[in-house]
Every structure is written in structure tokens, then in C-alpha cells.
């Protein structure tokens, strides 16, 4: 029996001491989503966290590493920024301004959630349960001067990505309090 899509496959927590560590994490994922690592290109990454937690910084670094040149804008007002490298499409959504989960459906975005495109969604919780589960959820939380990044795989593709991430010692999560 297969797991329902809402059930996480596994989870990894990394400590990102600064923005450079956030960018390094994005650079590790880039060849996995754009096909350079020998896996099929595409996939969905959802990014959650408070304002300023690093969602857009992560996305910009990933897009740069995938070969996107020029200005990479935050889609906070436009809701969507799209890019194309060769035959691979990249869609960067920001649902922060949504007040109703159905707004992303009304905007016609469902058709862009293709397996053969790289789909990055900031503030996915604003779309509620209407948004399909991601391959990988990256939840960024403030941790002192840095961030803790909880990476949760929801699909076999996401699990492949999670297994490929080798954090340097500076990204190892601190032991739980009282351990």
C-alpha cells in the first residue's frame, strides 16, 4: 500500500547560520530540480516561514544556480514570476496576499503545477488544502541570528532530493534542548 500524499516520507532539519548557508542549500538542490544531477527535471518546492525568514533568498539562489540571468523579482504583488531555461519552465508563486484559499484557483494557476516544471511556492498555507502536496516542503524558522530549515519530503522525488543533501558542519541542526 502506498502512503497518501499528505504523509511525509521523511524529514531533515538543518541550521542555516546566515544567508550564505541558505544560498548554499539552494545550490545543492538546483542540479536536482533542473536535471543536471541525472534525475528528471521539475518538481514542486513549498517554502513556509515568517516574513524575512529567507524564502525569497532561497528561491533567488536556486534560480540563479539553475541558470536564470537578469533580475529575479519577488512575486509578492504579481503573484507569479515565470522563467524558462531551454525547455524547462520555472514558476515562482507568492500567495502571501491571498485571503481565501480559492484565490489561486480563480487566478488559473492550477495548470502551471506541472511535474515537468520547477514550481516554487511561497506561503503555500494561504492556498489551504486545495494546493497539491509538494515534493519538498522547506519550513524556515528564526533561530538566533540564523534560521532552522525543516525539509520534509512528501514524494519519492522529494525523498531523492532530501537524500542528496549533504549539509556541511555549519548546517547541522543543534541537538534538541535537554539532550
Amino acid at each position: 500500500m502506498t502512503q497518501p500524499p499528505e504523509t511525509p516520507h521523511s524529514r531533515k532539519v538543518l541550521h542555516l547560520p546566515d544567508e550564505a548557508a541558505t544560498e548554499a542549500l539552494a545550490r545543492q538542490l538546483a542540479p536536482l530540480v533542473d536535471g543536471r544531477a541525472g534525475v528528471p527535471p521539475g518538481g514542486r518546492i513549498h517554502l513556509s516561514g515568517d516574513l524575512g525568514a529567507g524564502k525569497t533568498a532561497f528561491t533567488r539562489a536556486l534560480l540563479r544556480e539553475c541558470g536564470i540571468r537578469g533580475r529575479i523579482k519577488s512575486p509578492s504583488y504579481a503573484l507569479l514570476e515565470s522563467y524558462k531555461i531551454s525547455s524547462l519552465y520555472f514558476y515562482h508563486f507568492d500567495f502571501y496576499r491571498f485571503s481565501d484559499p480559492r484565490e489561486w484557483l480563480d487566478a488559473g494557476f492550477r495548470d502551471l503545477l506541472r511535474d515537468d516544471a520547477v514550481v516554487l511556492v511561497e506561503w503555500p498555507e494561504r492556498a489551504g488544502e486545495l494546493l497539491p502536496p509538494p515534493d519538498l516542503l522547506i519550513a524556515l524558522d528564526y533561530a538566533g541570528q540564523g534560521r532552522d530549515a525543516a525539509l520534509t519530503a512528501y514524494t519519492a522525488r522529494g525523498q531523492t532530493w532530501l537524500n542528496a543533501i549533504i549539509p556541511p558542519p555549519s548546517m547541522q541542526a543543534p541537538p534538541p534542548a535537554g539532550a
Side-chain angles (χ1 to χ4, degrees):
M1 186 167 118
T2 61
Q3 292 181 324
E6 305 80 34
T7 303
H9 285 229
S10 66
R11 185 172 189 254
K12 185 181 283 189
V13 178
L14 305 174
H15 179 68
L16 307 173
D18 52 28
E19 189 169 331
T22 301
E23 293 169 355
L25 174 61
R27 284 192 302 274
Q28 280 196 52
L29 278 170
L32 298 164
V33 302
D34 71 11
R36 289 179 289 149
V39 295
R44 288 186 306 277
I45 298 174
H46 292 180
L47 298 133
S48 67
D50 290 336
L51 287 171
K55 299 178 296 295
T56 301
F58 172 89
T59 300
R60 282 188 177 124
L62 183 127
L63 292 171
R64 284 263 179 257
E65 187 66 21
C66 288
I68 305 298
R69 301 291 170 243
R71 185 167 180 232
I72 297 175
K73 299 183 290 184
S74 172
S76 293
Y77 294 100
L79 305 178
L80 167 67
E81 293 292 336
S82 61
Y83 308 91
K84 184 178 178 187
I85 296 285
S86 187
S87 62
L88 182 61
Y89 286 91
F90 294 81
Y91 300 111
H92 178 197
F93 294 97
D94 186 330
F95 293 160
Y96 178 73
R97 295 173 27 153
F98 286 171
S99 58
D100 182 312
R102 292 174 298 208
E103 286 182 88
W104 78 274
L105 289 172
D106 294 342
F109 293 150
R110 181 182 290 282
D111 293 340
L112 300 178
L113 302 179
R114 302 171 15 189
D115 287 337
D116 63 344
V118 176
V119 179
L120 302 147
V121 180
E122 295 186 39
W123 300 94
E125 59 276 6
R126 300 282 176 114
E129 299 198 7
L130 298 174
L131 188 64
D135 294 303
L136 187 67
L137 169 64
I138 301 175
L140 297 163
D141 289 310
Y142 288 98
Q145 295 295 323
R147 309 289 185 268
D148 284 339
L151 288 74
T152 307
Y154 283 89
T155 64
R157 175 184 266 173
Q159 186 64 55
T160 297
W161 297 346
L162 196 58
N163 292 344
I165 294 170
I166 302 171
S170 67
M171 281 192 204
Q172 296 294 332

